[in-house]
Amino acid sequence: MALEKAKVSSIISKFGKNDKDTGATEVQIALLTERINQLTGHCKQFKKDKSSQRGLLILVGQRRRMLKYIQRTNLESYRSLIKELGLRK
């Protein structure tokens, strides 16, 4: 259920400062969002896979904490990231 290398590298180049910038909060949130979207589709298909549902909840919690951090530290970056990822409606 891991992400493809090409997808990861495109996300890193889109949200990071350069191609090696994997530690930036924006990049981590974008990668978590992609994994959450994948797992959501998997959990819809396999409703009895409880371990994947637990993993999904853990990822959502991690992303929520990172979003709270970036909102506290850099509000403009938070707003642009939310808009670009389409998280809040």
Side-chain angles (χ1 to χ4, degrees), residues 21-49:
D21 189 19
T22 59
T25 310
E26 294 88 354
V27 174
Q28 291 182 21
I29 291 171
L31 288 172
L32 280 173
T33 301
E34 187 62 35
R35 285 182 61 201
I36 287 169
N37 291 339
Q38 265 190 352
L39 265 179
T40 302
H42 174 81
C43 288
K44 284 181 183 177
Q45 185 178 2
F46 301 101
K47 296 186 186 306
K48 294 186 178 184
D49 190 359

Side-chain angles (χ1 to χ4, degrees), residues 1-5 7-8 11-12 15 26-44 51-63 66 85 87:
M1 300 282 292
L3 296 176
E4 298 174 0
K5 274 192 169 191
K7 186 71 172 172
V8 170
I11 289 173
I12 291 171
F15 290 98
E26 294 88 354
V27 174
Q28 291 182 21
I29 291 171
L31 288 172
L32 280 173
T33 301
E34 187 62 35
R35 285 182 61 201
I36 287 169
N37 291 339
Q38 265 190 352
L39 265 179
T40 302
H42 174 81
C43 288
K44 284 181 183 177
S51 60
S52 290
Q53 289 176 6
R54 182 177 185 273
L56 177 63
L57 289 175
I58 290 170
L59 291 177
V60 169
Q62 282 179 348
R63 183 180 69 181
M66 285 188 182
L85 292 176
L87 294 179

